[in-house]
Coordinates of all heavy atoms in Angstrom, one line a residue:
V1 N 0.9 -1.2 0.0 CA 0.0 0.0 0.0 C 0.9 1.2 0.0 O 1.8 1.4 0.9 CB -0.9 0.0 1.2 CG1 -1.8 1.3 1.2 CG2 -1.8 -1.2 1.2
A2 N 0.7 2.1 -1.0 CA 1.5 3.3 -1.1 C 0.9 4.4 -0.2 O -0.3 4.6 -0.1 CB 1.5 3.8 -2.6
S3 N 1.9 5.2 0.4 CA 1.5 6.3 1.2 C 2.5 7.5 1.0 O 3.7 7.2 0.9 CB 1.4 5.9 2.7 OG 2.6 5.5 3.1
R4 N 1.9 8.7 1.0 CA 2.8 9.9 0.9 C 2.8 10.6 2.2 O 1.9 10.6 3.0 CB 2.2 10.8 -0.2 CG 2.3 10.3 -1.6 CD 1.8 11.3 -2.6 NE 2.0 10.9 -4.0 CZ 1.1 10.2 -4.7 NH1 -0.1 9.9 -4.1 NH2 1.3 9.9 -5.9
S5 N 3.9 11.3 2.4 CA 4.1 12.1 3.7 C 4.8 13.4 3.3 O 5.5 13.5 2.3 CB 4.8 11.3 4.7 OG 6.1 11.0 4.3
V6 N 4.7 14.3 4.2 CA 5.4 15.6 4.1 C 6.0 16.0 5.5 O 5.3 15.8 6.5 CB 4.5 16.7 3.5 CG1 3.3 16.9 4.5 CG2 5.2 18.0 3.4
R7 N 7.2 16.6 5.4 CA 7.8 17.0 6.7 C 8.6 18.3 6.4 O 9.3 18.4 5.4 CB 8.7 15.9 7.2 CG 9.4 16.3 8.5 CD 10.5 15.3 8.8 NE 11.3 15.8 10.0 CZ 12.4 15.3 10.4 NH1 13.1 14.4 9.6 NH2 13.0 15.8 11.5
V8 N 8.5 19.3 7.3 CA 9.3 20.5 7.2 C 10.6 20.3 8.0 O 10.5 20.1 9.2 CB 8.5 21.7 7.8 CG1 9.3 23.0 7.7 CG2 7.2 21.9 7.0
L9 N 11.7 20.3 7.3 CA 13.0 20.1 7.9 C 13.5 21.3 8.5 O 14.2 21.3 9.6 CB 14.0 19.5 6.9 CG 13.6 18.2 6.2 CD1 14.7 17.7 5.3 CD2 13.4 17.1 7.3
K10 N 13.3 22.5 7.9 CA 13.8 23.8 8.4 C 12.9 24.9 7.9 O 12.4 24.8 6.8 CB 15.3 24.0 8.1 CG 15.5 24.2 6.6 CD 17.0 24.4 6.3 CE 17.4 25.9 6.6 NZ 18.7 26.2 6.1
Y11 N 12.9 26.0 8.7 CA 12.1 27.1 8.2 C 12.7 28.3 9.0 O 12.3 28.5 10.2 CB 10.6 26.9 8.5 CG 9.8 28.0 7.8 CD1 10.3 28.9 6.9 CD2 8.4 28.0 8.0 CE1 9.5 29.8 6.3 CE2 7.6 28.9 7.4 CZ 8.2 29.9 6.5 OH 7.4 30.8 5.9
R12 N 13.6 29.0 8.4 CA 14.2 30.1 9.1 C 13.3 31.2 9.5 O 12.4 31.6 8.7 CB 15.4 30.7 8.3 CG 16.6 29.8 8.1 CD 17.5 30.4 7.1 NE 18.7 29.5 6.9 CZ 19.5 29.5 5.8 NH1 19.2 30.4 4.9 NH2 20.5 28.7 5.7
G13 N 13.4 31.7 10.7 CA 12.6 32.8 11.2 C 11.1 32.5 11.5 O 10.3 33.4 11.6
S14 N 10.8 31.3 11.5 CA 9.4 30.9 11.8 C 9.3 29.6 12.6 O 10.2 28.7 12.5 CB 8.6 30.7 10.4 OG 7.3 30.2 10.7
G15 N 8.3 29.5 13.4 CA 8.0 28.3 14.1 C 7.3 27.3 13.2 O 6.6 27.7 12.3
F16 N 7.6 26.0 13.4 CA 6.9 25.0 12.5 C 6.9 23.7 13.3 O 7.7 23.5 14.3 CB 7.7 24.9 11.2 CG 9.1 24.4 11.4 CD1 9.5 23.1 11.2 CD2 10.1 25.3 11.6 CE1 10.8 22.6 11.4 CE2 11.4 24.9 11.8 CZ 11.8 23.6 11.6
S17 N 6.1 22.8 12.8 CA 6.0 21.4 13.4 C 7.1 20.5 12.7 O 7.1 20.5 11.5 CB 4.6 20.8 13.2 OG 4.6 19.5 13.7
E18 N 7.9 19.9 13.5 CA 8.9 19.0 12.9 C 8.4 17.6 12.6 O 9.2 16.8 12.1 CB 10.1 19.0 13.9 CG 10.7 20.3 14.2 CD 11.9 20.2 15.2 OE1 12.0 19.1 15.7 OE2 12.5 21.2 15.4
N19 N 7.2 17.3 12.9 CA 6.7 15.9 12.7 C 6.4 15.7 11.2 O 6.3 16.6 10.4 CB 5.4 15.7 13.5 CG 5.7 15.8 15.0 OD1 6.8 15.5 15.5 ND2 4.7 16.2 15.7
E20 N 6.3 14.4 10.9 CA 5.9 14.0 9.6 C 4.4 13.8 9.5 O 3.8 13.2 10.4 CB 6.7 12.7 9.2 CG 6.4 12.2 7.8 CD 7.1 10.9 7.5 OE1 8.4 11.0 7.4 OE2 6.5 9.9 7.5
F21 N 3.8 14.3 8.5 CA 2.3 14.3 8.3 C 2.0 13.6 7.0 O 2.6 13.8 6.0 CB 1.7 15.7 8.4 CG 1.9 16.4 9.7 CD1 3.0 17.2 9.9 CD2 1.0 16.1 10.7 CE1 3.1 17.9 11.1 CE2 1.2 16.7 12.0 CZ 2.3 17.6 12.1
P22 N 0.9 12.8 7.0 CA 0.4 12.1 5.8 C -0.1 13.2 4.8 O -0.6 14.2 5.1 CB -0.7 11.3 6.3 CG -0.5 11.1 7.8 CD 0.1 12.4 8.2
L23 N 0.1 12.8 3.5 CA -0.3 13.7 2.4 C -1.0 12.8 1.4 O -0.5 11.7 1.0 CB 1.0 14.4 1.8 CG 0.8 15.1 0.5 CD1 0.0 16.4 0.7 CD2 2.1 15.4 -0.2
I24 N -2.1 13.3 0.8 CA -2.7 12.6 -0.3 C -3.0 13.6 -1.4 O -3.2 14.9 -1.1 CB -4.0 11.9 0.2 CG1 -5.1 13.0 0.6 CG2 -3.8 10.9 1.3 CD1 -6.5 12.3 0.8
I25 N -3.2 13.1 -2.6 CA -3.6 14.0 -3.7 C -5.0 13.6 -4.0 O -5.3 12.5 -4.5 CB -2.7 13.7 -4.9 CG1 -1.2 14.0 -4.5 CG2 -3.1 14.6 -6.1 CD1 -0.2 13.7 -5.6
A26 N -5.9 14.5 -3.7 CA -7.4 14.2 -3.9 C -7.9 15.0 -5.0 O -7.2 15.8 -5.7 CB -8.1 14.6 -2.6
D27 N -9.2 14.8 -5.4 CA -9.8 15.5 -6.5 C -9.9 17.0 -6.2 O -10.1 17.8 -7.1 CB -11.1 14.9 -6.9 CG -12.0 14.8 -5.7 OD1 -11.6 15.2 -4.6 OD2 -13.2 14.3 -5.8
T28 N -9.8 17.4 -4.9 CA -9.9 18.8 -4.6 C -8.5 19.4 -4.3 O -8.5 20.6 -3.8 CB -10.8 18.9 -3.3 OG1 -10.3 18.1 -2.2 CG2 -12.2 18.5 -3.6
G29 N -7.5 18.7 -4.5 CA -6.1 19.2 -4.3 C -5.3 18.4 -3.3 O -5.7 17.2 -3.0
L30 N -4.3 19.0 -2.8 CA -3.4 18.3 -1.8 C -4.1 18.4 -0.4 O -4.5 19.5 0.0 CB -2.1 19.0 -1.8 CG -1.2 18.8 -3.1 CD1 0.1 19.6 -2.9 CD2 -0.9 17.4 -3.4
K31 N -4.1 17.3 0.3 CA -4.6 17.2 1.6 C -3.6 16.7 2.6 O -3.0 15.7 2.4 CB -5.9 16.3 1.7 CG -7.0 16.7 0.8 CD -7.7 18.0 1.2 CE -8.8 18.4 0.3 NZ -9.5 19.6 0.8
V32 N -3.3 17.5 3.6 CA -2.4 17.1 4.7 C -3.2 16.9 5.9 O -3.9 17.8 6.4 CB -1.3 18.2 4.9 CG1 -0.3 17.8 6.0 CG2 -0.6 18.5 3.6
S33 N -3.0 15.7 6.5 CA -3.7 15.4 7.7 C -2.9 15.7 9.0 O -1.8 15.3 9.1 CB -4.0 13.9 7.7 OG -4.8 13.5 6.6
T34 N -3.5 16.6 9.8 CA -2.9 17.0 11.1 C -3.9 16.9 12.2 O -5.1 16.7 11.9 CB -2.4 18.4 11.0 OG1 -3.5 19.3 10.9 CG2 -1.4 18.6 9.8
F35 N -3.5 17.0 13.4 CA -4.4 17.0 14.5 C -4.9 18.4 14.8 O -5.8 18.5 15.7 CB -3.6 16.5 15.8 CG -3.5 15.0 15.9 CD1 -2.4 14.4 15.6 CD2 -4.6 14.3 16.3 CE1 -2.3 13.0 15.7 CE2 -4.5 12.9 16.4 CZ -3.4 12.2 16.1
G36 N -4.5 19.4 14.1 CA -4.9 20.7 14.4 C -4.2 21.3 15.5 O -3.0 21.1 15.7
T37 N -4.8 22.1 16.4 CA -4.2 22.7 17.5 C -3.8 21.6 18.5 O -4.4 20.6 18.6 CB -5.1 23.7 18.1 OG1 -6.3 23.1 18.6 CG2 -5.4 24.8 17.1
A38 N -2.8 22.0 19.3 CA -2.4 21.0 20.4 C -3.4 20.9 21.5 O -3.4 19.9 22.2 CB -1.0 21.5 20.9
A39 N -4.1 22.0 21.7 CA -5.1 22.0 22.8 C -6.3 21.1 22.5 O -6.8 21.1 21.4 CB -5.5 23.4 23.2
L40 N -6.8 20.4 23.5 CA -8.0 19.6 23.3 C -9.2 20.4 23.8 O -9.2 20.8 25.0 CB -7.9 18.3 24.1 CG -6.9 17.2 23.6 CD1 -6.7 16.1 24.5 CD2 -7.3 16.7 22.2
D41 N -10.1 20.6 22.9 CA -11.3 21.4 23.3 C -12.5 20.7 22.6 O -13.0 21.1 21.6 CB -11.2 22.8 22.8 CG -12.3 23.7 23.3 OD1 -13.0 23.3 24.2 OD2 -12.4 24.8 22.8

């Protein structure tokens, strides 16, 4: 089963998530799956 992922290795002057996130190419464009905000509400 094929799977795509995306990860930001560096980003000068900006905060970013260092984790790897799944990526798919859908009929509506690129979709990156994340948990959203860290806070649970």
Side-chain angles (χ1 to χ4, degrees):
V1 178
S3 61
R4 292 183 176 90
S5 64
V6 58
R7 180 190 175 198
V8 179
L9 300 182
K10 65 178 282 189
Y11 192 7
R12 289 173 182 161
S14 174
F16 63 95
S17 176
E18 299 179 354
N19 296 330
E20 182 180 289
F21 296 95
L23 168 72
I24 67 169
I25 302 175
D27 53 359
T28 56
L30 295 177
K31 300 290 183 181
V32 179
S33 297
T34 67
F35 278 101
T37 60
L40 289 174
D41 188 14

